[in-house]
Amino acid sequence: METQFYLLLSLKTPRGFENYGQYFLGDDREAAHGLFESLKGKGEIDGAALLHTDLMETVNELPVKIKTIACTLEEQGCNSKLIAREIFRQRNLDSYEE
């Protein structure tokens, strides 16, 4: 079974944290961790954090949370641009290097 990585986006609501988006990163562990480490936000989660980004891995088809960061809305906007750029690069430009 192949391991897959993805980013899970969630926001705080009166009912708790609810997921609102995902970015699928593929099966490259090093690339997934590298991208996550380049995201803006804090690794220290406090009660005031309204937006979370989780690095997730599927293990035996079950989701496993690896790391979490808390972001402001501005940081999440910057992260979305960075994620889109990196996924585009991986899917389009890296294929020319092979």
Side-chain angles (χ1 to χ4, degrees), residues 9-28:
L9 308 177
S10 58
L11 57 95
K12 191 172 187 176
T13 70
R15 295 176 301 281
F17 279 91
E18 295 185 25
N19 301 334
Y20 71 92
Q22 290 182 330
Y23 291 100
F24 293 96
L25 304 177
D27 61 356
D28 185 334

Side-chain angles (χ1 to χ4, degrees), residues 43-88:
E44 300 169 10
I45 308 298
D46 60 24
L50 300 179
L51 299 170
H52 286 183
T53 301
D54 302 319
L55 176 60
M56 305 290 291
E57 176 180 5
T58 55
V59 177
N60 296 324
E61 299 183 24
L62 296 173
V64 176
K65 187 185 301 184
I66 300 172
K67 295 180 182 179
T68 300
I69 58 171
C71 308
T72 64
L73 185 57
E74 184 174 330
E75 289 170 332
Q76 187 60 47
C78 291
N79 289 345
S80 292
K81 290 178 187 178
L82 179 65
I83 293 164
R85 185 174 36 234
E86 181 62 19
I87 290 173
F88 178 86

